[in-house]
Amino acid sequence: MSAQTATELSDLLLKQWNRDPANLLQILIALQRDLNHIPNEAIRYLASELSLPQSVVEGVIGFYTFLHRQPRGHYDLLFSDNITDQMQGSRDRAQQLATALNVDLGATSEDLGLSLGYTSCIGMPDQGPAALINGKTLTRLSKERMDQIADLIKQQTPVDQWPEEFFTVEDNIRRRDILLDTVLDKGAALTSYLSQGPDKLLDEIERSGLRGRGGAGFKTALKWRFCREAKGEDPVVVCNADEGEPGTFKDRVLLQSYADRLIEGMTLCAAIIGASQGFIYLRGEYRYLLEPLQQELQKRRDSGLLGSTIQGHASLDFDIEIHLGAGAYICGEESALIESLEGKRGIPRIRPPFPVTQGYLGRPTVVNNVETFIAAAMIADNGADWFRSRGTSESTGTKLLSISGDCARPGIYEYPFGTSIQTILDDCDATNTQAVQVAGPAGMTLPASEFNRVIAFDDVPTGGSFMVFDHSRNMLEAVQNFADFFVHESCGFCTPCRVGTSLLKKRLEKVIAGHATGMDLEKMIEIGHLMKTSSHCGLGTTAANPILDTIEKFPLLYDERLKTTSFEPAFDLNKALDEAREITGRTDPGAYVEGGGV
Amino acid sequence: MIRHFTLDGKKIPFREGQTIMEAAQDAGIYIPHLCYNPEFVPHGSCRVCTVKANGRIVASCTTPATEEMQVENETEELQGNRRELLQMLFVEGNHVCPGCEKSGACQLQAVAYYTGMLAPEFTYFYPMRTVDSSHPDVAIDYNRCILCELCVRASRDEDGKNIFSIDGRGINTHLTVNSASGKLGDTDFDVHDKAAQVCPVGAILPKHEGYNIPIGQRLYDRKPISVVGDVADHQEE
Ligand SMILES: Cc1cc2nc3c(=O)[nH]c(=O)nc-3n(C[C@H](O)[C@H](O)[C@H](O)COP(=O)(O)O)c2cc1C
Ligand code: SF4
Ligand code: SF4
């Protein structure tokens, strides 16, 4: 690609994105898409046009997994590498393709124009193995399908001419309760707002007991009230559609089939807090949903439910823009998300100030999960009692679970809070279950003795991920997968998480290799505890959970592999001397050592 | 009205909006730290200044003091955490203290002495990092960078030059220089810039001088860091 083109394209994109530095990430994503990388000419041009240091632009590119400074192949294929993908054979499929095309995994082949690699969970564990090709989602990658894909690449068939069924994403809704089963007429929540007014409606949402569905469980009415009362001007509504927690895909289904309700919920929030600007932060892995969502937004505008004078009221003026992510789990954390919306590296902010007082560009900002906005819209239409008819007193309403792993019927299940793990396992036809990982790698690993526990904020809280493992699985493989995930996704800002995630990964490898001792386990617990207490954000405070949980609840996994000695070096000093002995040709006793190493 | 909180049993006054760290410093109490420097916006990344405030472990440099807050600082638990954080910083980079010009005047070393950290018990990472000696007056040894971002903040907020940035993610996070070549020599960096005076370790070092003060007589060789404070305040010595 010539320098001319990169600059011209950058110029076009700058115009499209109002020459606003806050849109830098969106411009970079578009460049990556069109040019397979972000050339230096474009970096220089963008830096000078946006008055940013060039190194800052480079730093943004360096932060996001899907942005590259070296060209990727025009087939850029990334296999989803969550443990549930692996359990469906994803690694074998990746190897199958690599062998068929004679390409190394993790490398780019010049002659085929193919880059092959792995990426964190892309949100398709109910229909895996799955992959992204040039950002588009491929599902159900059977052996046969993999052969077909190898042929298509050999013949250099453009991706948009590949069979449509390769890209089909099913909803797989298996259980519906009040949220998915109740009809919401277009505009009904807004009509309710117009007749009740903001105060009464906020009281109603408060009475419903609705708490955030993204994981932390903060009371939604309280958040909206704080924002409404915040001093700053021009508040902002942000929908967190980053859904990066491995094993979670319920927001995907909501965005795909209930987008109108989401927009209604965001518009309701905007009316209550007095916002005119909104964003949907859509994870890059869900790129396939971008155009359908834009169409949904346009439909709402066309029917007077979005844009200026909503439902004929001049005071209701609100519109929504979609921003894409680019492969960074940390951008699901609300303050990192806001940084990313501002076009920066997704580093979690120092709090206070909280987003409700100083969020996007310093303006008061509400960030809520997709499911939260939808629940709020439904409550506005159906009332608090309708919502409270399900769940427990502390955890009202229902929760969407994304169920995957070893069960006959993976998919979306809507349950009242208070439902037991065992009931859920029975419903999804899971048999011979060894463990369940609830709330993703950051959540809890539950053994069979705890299957009587229930989904609730005060028992087993979850953003929605529910991964099932039967007795044929080696749980340490899951633990290792999660440890690798956190090494890859730590933002690198604070010491305990940046270094601790790598230290844990190394010790775990020592355990798996059979070289660890009791002292290594003690160290892992110590490091994990430090991360839990001292990290800057929720990623670091939870990243050690899978290790700490399994050491406690599945001790045999570790004990079976431990050496009985109290200290075992990280490397074998005697073995390390092999090469030296070979070079010097020494075989005398003095050339061998016993023990040693660190 | 002057308000107070309690730090290790002592009553400490604070002004509205002050952090625990600021109020403690005003009261002459040392809380170990690396990325904190009172002249710049707090960063909260090294986590060495973590204290226990009302039972919660928080970074004292970013947490506002509140009335009646009960803060623990010099407990064995917290010092233990600090020793572990320091070990993490040591093994993550390549810190060969006996061969480092900053030895004895290095804050990483001094806080390690202060908290009683002896030797890292973690496996070393031995990362491949470079040295940039392209600038006539200042060298950067990336092996020793602890990512405190003080140079980033000083260059951006005080020098107005934006010479330093951060690139990469996670364990691959690294400091970069804003020039086409990525070399310091191709920037307008000056040895008198604020950013040249703030590095707590031996990563940014002035050239043309070395071992002016013999090892054994340096800043932290003479008195502990809790008494003499940050090395940035002693750059002219
Ligand atoms: C590392 C990390 C990742 C997160 N990822 C998500 C996410 O993908 N989606 C989400 O809604 N919330 C996520 N959260 C929680 C958000 O920070 C925030 O609490 C949430 O978006 C608030 O919305 P809610 O109150 O509606 O749940 C994450 C938090 C952390 C610490
Ligand atoms: S805990 Fe991890 S993800 Fe969070 S700020 Fe620290 S390094 Fe970044
Ligand atoms: S070079 Fe020094 S001041 Fe700059 S980030 Fe590294 S350790 Fe901090």
Side-chain angles (χ1 to χ4, degrees):
Chain A
M1 204 58 65
S2 71
Q4 183 75 29
T5 317
T7 305
E8 275 172 10
L9 186 58
S10 306
D11 208 40
L12 221 67
L13 288 164
L14 279 166
K15 278 198 200 88
Q16 184 189 330
W17 290 97
N18 305 325
R19 299 193 170 266
D20 185 348
N23 293 331
L24 173 65
L25 177 58
Q26 302 309 304
I27 294 172
L28 294 173
I29 290 170
L31 280 170
Q32 172 72 44
R33 196 173 160 77
D34 284 351
L35 305 176
N36 301 331
H37 74 306
I38 298 155
N40 288 336
E41 298 83 34
I43 296 175
R44 273 199 292 278
Y45 188 70
L46 289 174
S48 89
E49 291 296 304
L50 296 173
S51 306
L52 292 170
Q54 194 179 314
S55 57
V56 165
V57 179
E58 291 164 1
V60 172
I61 298 170
F63 187 82
Y64 294 94
T65 314
F66 296 161
L67 301 180
H68 303 274
R69 294 183 61 191
Q70 297 305 321
R72 302 286 291 178
H74 56 262
Y75 296 105
D76 189 358
L77 206 141
L78 298 172
F79 283 87
S80 182
D81 198 34
N82 187 30
I83 185 69
T84 49
D85 292 290
Q86 292 180 13
M87 282 155 57
Q88 295 175 83
S90 62
R91 293 226 157 180
D92 294 342
R93 297 304 134 71
Q95 199 50 59
Q96 182 192 341
L97 188 70
T99 310
L101 297 174
N102 201 16
V103 179
D104 286 337
L105 271 163
T108 296
S109 144
E110 299 282 339
D111 11 312
L112 285 170
L114 170 69
S115 299
L116 214 50
Y118 291 111
T119 191
S120 299
C121 183
I122 66 168
M124 300 288 155
D126 57 329
Q127 45 204 304
L132 296 172
I133 176 97
N134 300 349
K136 265 180 104 171
T137 300
L138 289 163
T139 54
R140 285 175 291 271
L141 294 172
S142 61
K143 288 200 182 91
E144 298 71 45
R145 197 164 272 190
M146 228 55 252
D147 284 337
Q148 285 173 287
I149 288 175
D151 287 341
L152 288 165
I153 293 175
K154 272 186 208 151
Q155 293 151 11
Q156 298 284 297
T157 310
V159 173
D160 55 15
Q161 289 168 27
W162 290 14
E164 224 168 89
E165 69 266 21
F166 286 14
F167 303 101
T168 308
V169 177
E170 307 275 359
D171 274 354
N172 289 332
I173 300 177
R174 311 278 190 186
R175 187 184 196 281
R176 292 165 194 271
D177 208 300
I178 53 171
L179 200 75
L180 297 181
D181 239 357
T182 311
V183 177
L184 180 76
D185 290 332
K186 254 183 193 297
L190 297 179
T191 307
S192 175
Y193 165 82
L194 288 167
S195 64
Q196 295 186 50
D199 293 313
K200 234 179 125 216
L201 202 57
L202 260 183
D203 288 346
E204 192 69 11
I205 297 174
E206 187 162 354
R207 207 167 61 78
S208 77
L210 174 63
R211 294 168 67 171
R213 267 39 182 165
F218 194 81
K219 291 205 165 83
T220 306
L222 199 59
K223 188 183 275 186
W224 292 14
R225 212 183 284 279
F226 280 149
C227 194
R228 182 174 151 81
E229 287 162 7
K231 279 196 216 84
E233 298 280 300
D234 215 356
V236 186
V237 178
V238 177
C239 170
N240 187 342
D242 197 49
E243 191 155 70
E245 195 77 73
T248 318
F249 49 93
K250 50 106 189 165
D251 292 340
R252 174 198 94 204
V253 172
L254 294 174
L255 292 160
Q256 185 161 313
S257 300
Y258 295 83
D260 186 69
R261 294 186 186 193
L262 165 65
I263 304 166
E264 178 108 10
M266 291 177 70
T267 312
L268 174 74
C269 175
I272 290 177
I273 68 169
S276 62
Q277 192 177 14
F279 292 98
I280 296 174
Y281 185 88
L282 181 68
R283 71 185 305 220
E285 290 82 348
Y286 291 168
R287 176 84 184 53
Y288 79 100
L289 287 170
L290 179 63
E291 278 85 24
L293 281 172
Q294 273 162 345
Q295 285 160 17
E296 286 295 322
L297 290 171
Q298 195 50 46
K299 272 195 242 160
R300 298 271 305 184
R301 285 184 201 110
D302 295 343
S303 31
L305 293 166
L306 192 68
S308 52
T309 49
I310 292 171
Q311 290 196 330
H313 288 259
S315 63
L316 289 188
D317 176 353
F318 175 68
D319 213 326
I320 296 171
E321 206 176 291
I322 303 172
H323 271 218
L324 282 171
Y329 165 60
I330 188 59
C331 290
E333 194 282 336
E334 59 182 9
S335 67
L337 184 152
I338 291 170
E339 288 283 297
S340 185
L341 270 182
E342 291 183 3
K344 302 180 194 154
R345 295 162 57 79
I347 306 290
R349 290 180 177 175
I350 292 169
R351 290 174 296 178
F354 290 91
V356 281
T357 56
Q358 285 179 48
Y360 179 70
L361 301 176
R363 293 148 58 185
T365 304
V366 162
V367 181
N368 274 129
N369 177 254
V370 177
E371 190 182 345
T372 313
F373 280 120
I374 292 179
M378 305 284 292
I379 292 164
D381 186 33
N382 297 289
D385 292 330
W386 167 84
F387 194 71
R388 297 190 72 97
S389 70
R390 296 292 190 281
T392 67
S393 60
E394 276 307 297
S395 309
T396 54
T398 62
K399 183 75 194 82
L400 298 191
L401 298 183
S402 320
I403 300 186
S404 65
D406 294 316
C407 64
R409 295 170 0 104
I412 297 298
Y413 291 71
E414 182 186 0
Y415 279 108
F417 273 113
T419 305
S420 76
I421 306 289
Q422 189 59 57
T423 308
I424 298 167
L425 288 171
D426 292 343
D427 287 357
C428 69
D429 288 341
T431 49
N432 196 25
T433 305
Q434 176 182 194
V436 180
Q437 183 73 25
V438 189
M444 295 180 179
T445 316
L446 300 176
S449 58
E450 298 187 32
F451 290 172
N452 57 344
R453 295 181 66 178
V454 301
I455 300 292
F457 289 106
D458 47 8
D459 192 354
V460 182
T462 173
S465 174
F466 192 101
M467 296 185 265
V468 185
F469 300 88
D470 70 19
H471 279 285
S472 73
R473 307 293 176 185
N474 174 1
M475 284 306 288
L476 271 190
E477 282 176 18
V479 178
Q480 187 174 25
N481 179 255
F482 299 156
D484 290 350
F485 169 77
F486 286 119
V487 169
H488 188 253
E489 299 298 341
S490 163
C491 84
F493 174 76
C494 72
T495 312
C497 171
R498 182 183 67 241
V499 187
T501 47
S502 286
L503 289 174
L504 285 181
K505 176 186 155 83
K506 287 184 194 185
R507 295 260 169 175
L508 190 66
E509 281 165 359
K510 201 173 163 190
V511 171
I512 289 169
H515 293 310
T517 67
M519 202 186 88
D520 289 295
L521 290 198
E522 276 167 39
K523 270 279 163 235
M524 283 163 83
I525 294 171
E526 202 177 295
I527 296 165
H529 185 72
L530 180 76
M531 290 166 65
K532 220 178 176 58
T533 52
S534 317
S535 295
H536 174 61
C537 88
L539 191 151
T541 57
T542 57
N545 284 355
I547 289 178
L548 296 178
D549 256 17
T550 46
I551 289 182
E552 188 192 326
K553 295 176 183 172
F554 298 82
L556 271 182
L557 279 180
Y558 294 84
D559 292 348
E560 278 171 355
R561 290 169 178 81
L562 292 190
K563 296 243 176 177
T564 45
T565 45
S566 65
F567 172 77
E568 190 71 23
F571 72 95
D572 183 342
L573 185 56
N574 191 39
K575 201 157 183 295
L577 291 172
D578 275 351
E579 200 183 339
R581 277 190 293 264
E582 203 176 306
I583 294 167
T584 55
R586 278 181 64 179
T587 52
D588 57 293
Y592 293 87
V593 289
E594 237 176 77
V598 288
Chain B
M1 194 187 73
I2 299 265
R3 303 197 286 165
H4 294 84
F5 67 96
T6 309
L7 193 128
D8 286 340
K10 269 204 207 99
K11 264 185 113 173
I12 310 285
F14 71 96
R15 293 188 309 277
E16 180 66 38
Q18 266 192 320
T19 60
I20 298 171
M21 173 72 87
E22 286 162 346
Q25 287 218 325
D26 282 357
I29 292 177
Y30 174 69
I31 302 177
H33 57 267
L34 291 170
C35 72
Y36 175 74
N37 176 324
E39 293 185 63
F40 304 102
V41 281
H43 201 238
S45 65
C46 75
R47 312 309 283 181
V48 170
C49 76
T50 46
V51 294
K52 215 179 216 180
N54 294 338
R56 272 187 58 225
I57 293 190
V58 298
S60 63
C61 71
T62 58
T63 307
T66 55
E67 182 79 55
E68 311 267 315
M69 193 183 237
Q70 298 287 329
V71 182
E72 293 170 28
N73 172 34
E74 291 227 2
T75 64
E76 187 39 43
E77 180 196 0
L78 289 167
Q79 296 291 54
N81 283 356
R82 288 169 186 151
R83 284 193 292 272
E84 216 167 330
L85 288 166
L86 293 163
Q87 289 185 32
M88 286 180 170
L89 290 171
F90 272 107
V91 300
E92 180 193 24
N94 299 308
H95 297 271
V96 191
C97 297
C100 177
E101 153 61 16
K102 192 86 167 207
S103 198
C106 163
Q107 236 167 288
L108 181 64
Q109 228 183 25
V111 180
Y113 288 142
Y114 178 74
T115 56
M117 190 209 104
L118 298 173
E121 294 157 34
F122 301 137
T123 342
Y124 281 87
F125 287 51
Y126 297 122
M128 290 293 287
R129 296 197 196 162
T130 54
V131 177
D132 176 358
S133 50
S134 59
H135 192 276
D137 303 316
V138 181
I140 308 180
D141 186 341
Y142 290 102
N143 290 290
R144 303 168 186 158
C145 174
I146 57 167
L147 298 170
C148 73
E149 294 187 40
L150 271 168
C151 58
V152 178
R153 286 176 276 167
S155 184
R156 181 189 63 208
D157 302 340
E158 183 149 336
D159 304 329
K161 292 187 179 179
N162 280 310
I163 285 175
F164 300 100
S165 282
I166 298 291
D167 198 347
R169 186 172 85 192
I171 196 65
N172 299 316
T173 304
H174 56 280
L175 183 72
T176 57
V177 164
N178 182 34
S179 66
S181 63
K183 295 282 185 210
L184 193 62
D186 294 328
T187 67
D188 57 353
F189 191 63
D190 187 280
V191 69
H192 302 293
D193 282 358
K194 186 72 181 176
Q197 328 293 326
V198 293
C199 185
V201 294
I204 298 182
L205 282 177
K207 288 183 169 179
H208 318 303
E209 54 182 88
Y211 301 93
N212 287 359
I213 306 173
I215 288 184
Q217 293 169 33
R218 297 181 170 193
L219 185 63
Y220 301 125
D221 294 333
R222 287 174 276 145
K223 285 191 180 124
I225 188 166
S226 55
V227 177
V228 288
D230 297 354
V231 65
D233 296 333
H234 299 265
Q235 292 286 1
E236 303 308 316
E237 280 184 31

